[in-house]
Amino acid sequence: MPAVTTPFTMTQVERNGVVCLRPEGELDYATIEALRERLGQLDAHRKTVRLDLGGLTFVATAGLGVLLDASTRAHEHGAKLTFYHGRPEVERVLKLSGVDRLLTFER
């Protein structure tokens, strides 16, 4: 039986000048450009962004790079980008890679 993959989607809601962006599905080489592009658009408009990782079922190393790049760009531009924690399997990848120590998480 072939593996079933969920489509990659993003939900975006803006309230009081804060954009909550929730990608859902697998963040891998096939889907990173969609997230990179959306985060780039938000950065260009200097939006405060909260990236909710709770909808991700998998994060590949390429996806980790997108998260780190977005965080670095926001910091360089004086914007605010924070993260909401994800599922245990995503949190495990963040911890094993050390990326969790480089991102700012909401509590």
Side-chain angles (χ1 to χ4, degrees), residues 70-99:
S71 181
T72 300
R73 259 192 335 271
H75 182 71
E76 288 172 350
H77 296 146
K80 185 171 182 185
L81 173 63
T82 57
F83 296 82
Y84 287 122
H85 287 281
R87 297 175 185 201
E89 57 271 27
V90 170
E91 290 295 312
R92 184 170 189 264
V93 170
L94 293 172
K95 285 184 192 313
L96 288 173
S97 65
V99 170

Side-chain angles (χ1 to χ4, degrees), residues 12-21 37-51 70-83 106:
Q12 180 175 319
V13 177
E14 184 169 352
R15 290 191 188 112
N16 301 323
V18 177
V19 175
C20 293
L21 181 62
E37 184 176 310
R38 180 72 59 87
L39 289 169
Q41 292 166 353
L42 294 170
D43 183 57
H45 291 94
R46 302 297 185 258
K47 296 286 187 178
T48 296
V49 177
R50 292 191 175 121
L51 188 60
S71 181
T72 300
R73 259 192 335 271
H75 182 71
E76 288 172 350
H77 296 146
K80 185 171 182 185
L81 173 63
T82 57
F83 296 82
E106 294 280 329

